[in-house]
Amino acid sequence: MKDMLLVAEEVSKAYGNYTALNKMSIQVPKQSIFGILGPNGAGKTTFIRIINQITLPDSGKIWLDGEPLQPKHVQYIGYLPEERGLYKSMTVGAQALYLAQLKGLSKKEAKRRLEYWFERLEIMGWWNKKIQELSKGMAQKIQFIVTVLHQPKLLIFDEPFSGFDPVNANLIKDEILKLKEDGATILFSTHRMESVEEMCDYMALINKSNKLIDGKVTDLKQEYKTNTYQVEIVTQQQAELTEVLTTHFNLLPNKFSSIHQGEKFTIRLKTGQTVNQLLQVLIKYGEVHHFVEQIPSVNDIFIQTVTANA
Ligand code: ADP
């Protein structure tokens, strides 16, 4: 518990007689990136709003840095909601300064930090523009800066990459990774599997108000792997090899491409078989040009768990 920045225990919330979140529990280690992944309507925003004390849960407990969640914790959290409002007629600089001061920074300190970030993201030229002149992605960059400016312990992003083009999404990704290196803990919600794949140390999958699985991403991949290998081999004995592989191993349909010119096989080991047993067979029949274990993607894990729970 000491190493956890955020702990949620059986948090539930209903709207009328619809349960939006059912006994949600997670543990977010300090200085990690934790992804809450689930399709639209799964309950992600409900959960995030509860952590931000915008919505009260019906039951369950939440701790922040070892203390029961309470109003003073708002200042330790930086929250970037998916629906973001800015005052359209204000200039970018005036708006950013105003929002930064709401977070408790003095005007002087706010200006100093804003200048650092505007220079860092190379948007100094936007300072005197009106908010209404900004594109969605540009406005989102300003919101991002304002969210991280007071250096909160916990950063919460709701679909942080949704409004960005690929170049800017990458830039924000790098900034989030750097914030972690500098000590922040990051929780973000998304329905995009790739974001979790690329960034998260930990994840929780939720579907229809329920958590299906959670844990360290590498552990989950280990747990959900199926001992399946992608092989490409140059052989003169294609028929014999196929026969041997079919008899002794599980031959699956091929779903991979490769630049080599040989026979492609996707092979799953049977219980008790080792990878060397497979290699020994292959080597007998030809020259192995490609041999890779299939690591389940976050998408594979999601589909497996949703299907298993259906
Ligand atoms: P997600 O963020 O995963 O897309 P939400 O937490 O926004 O999901 O929503 C979960 C479910 O709860 C949805 O079916 C949504 O319609 C419902 N819901 C969310 N907020 C409210 C509310 N204020 N009143 C009634 N229903 C709500």
Side-chain angles (χ1 to χ4, degrees):
M1 182 101 165
K2 193 165 98 319
D3 305 328
M4 299 296 155
L5 185 66
L6 180 79
V7 175
E9 204 178 276
E10 303 211 331
V11 174
S12 297
K13 176 75 187 176
Y15 294 108
N17 51 21
Y18 178 76
T19 304
L21 199 62
N22 186 28
K23 295 188 176 169
M24 175 73 170
S25 302
I26 57 166
Q27 303 208 339
V28 182
K30 286 180 181 161
Q31 222 184 334
S32 68
I33 302 185
F34 193 112
I36 298 179
L37 179 66
N40 294 330
K44 304 182 294 294
T45 308
T46 300
F47 184 52
I48 280 180
R49 288 170 66 90
I50 290 170
I51 299 167
N52 280 295
Q53 304 180 74
I54 297 166
T55 303
L56 270 179
D58 299 331
S59 58
K61 291 184 189 137
I62 296 177
W63 288 268
L64 188 82
D65 213 358
E67 294 180 337
L69 191 68
Q70 50 202 279
K72 72 162 186 184
H73 287 141
V74 170
Q75 61 179 311
Y76 302 135
I77 301 178
Y79 173 42
L80 182 63
E82 200 190 0
E83 297 294 326
R84 305 146 180 132
L86 289 170
Y87 301 102
K88 293 218 179 313
S89 57
M90 262 173 117
T91 64
V92 170
Q95 174 106 148
L97 269 174
Y98 169 74
L99 292 172
Q101 289 175 84
L102 284 186
K103 303 276 175 70
L105 296 177
S106 69
K107 190 166 184 184
K108 194 165 161 232
E109 183 61 16
K111 188 139 192 286
R112 194 183 67 76
R113 293 193 193 183
L114 282 169
E115 277 172 3
Y116 165 82
W117 274 101
F118 273 60
E119 264 160 32
R120 195 177 160 80
L121 299 187
E122 298 174 359
I123 55 171
M124 216 50 209
W126 299 2
W127 190 267
N128 291 316
K129 274 192 201 290
K130 291 258 175 66
I131 296 285
Q132 62 201 8
E133 297 173 58
L134 302 185
S135 71
K136 187 177 174 216
M138 288 162 91
Q140 202 173 340
K141 251 188 194 173
I142 306 296
Q143 296 274 29
F144 177 83
I145 292 174
V146 172
T147 305
V148 305
L149 203 68
H150 64 301
Q151 299 175 329
K153 289 187 204 180
L154 179 63
L155 287 166
I156 301 179
F157 300 119
D158 199 351
E159 297 286 358
F161 311 112
S162 66
F164 288 121
D165 60 65
V167 173
N168 280 302
N170 243 333
L171 188 136
I172 295 297
K173 252 177 223 167
D174 290 345
E175 292 301 334
I176 292 178
L177 291 172
K178 182 163 185 306
L179 286 163
K180 178 182 97 164
E181 255 170 54
D182 293 345
T185 304
I186 292 128
L187 181 69
F188 76 81
S189 83
T190 184
H191 63 274
R192 295 183 56 239
M193 316 271 172
E194 319 84 76
S195 318
V196 174
E197 195 82 65
E198 290 164 13
M199 305 201 52
C200 292
D201 307 302
Y202 296 82
M203 68 173 178
L205 302 188
I206 61 173
N207 191 38
K208 297 183 182 161
S209 325
N210 287 285
K211 183 184 79 183
L212 300 180
I213 53 166
D214 66 333
K216 207 171 180 175
V217 176
T218 48
D219 290 349
L220 290 169
K221 289 196 174 213
Q222 189 71 317
E223 190 182 320
Y224 281 84
K225 79 187 182 91
T226 53
N227 298 315
T228 303
Y229 294 83
Q230 298 171 343
V231 172
E232 178 143 359
I233 179 166
V234 174
T235 175
Q236 309 300 328
Q237 301 161 270
Q238 191 209 336
E240 293 92 327
L241 175 59
T242 308
E243 166 84 34
V244 169
L245 290 175
T246 314
T247 316
H248 295 284
F249 303 90
N250 292 317
L251 216 49
L252 305 180
N254 284 319
K255 279 196 206 160
F256 73 100
S257 60
S258 138
I259 56 164
H260 302 292
Q261 308 229 323
E263 293 304 318
K264 290 191 193 64
F265 297 102
T266 300
I267 303 155
R268 180 167 295 165
L269 301 183
K270 290 186 176 170
T271 315
Q273 285 179 328
T274 67
V275 64
N276 275 6
Q277 287 173 317
L278 172 60
L279 273 167
Q280 273 157 7
V281 170
L282 294 169
I283 287 167
K284 241 194 279 180
Y285 286 88
E287 201 174 82
V288 178
H289 282 237
H290 175 98
F291 190 89
V292 177
E293 179 170 10
Q294 241 180 35
I295 309 292
S297 63
V298 169
N299 193 33
D300 294 335
I301 296 174
F302 191 80
I303 289 169
Q304 265 196 60
T305 49
V306 169
T307 316
N309 282 278

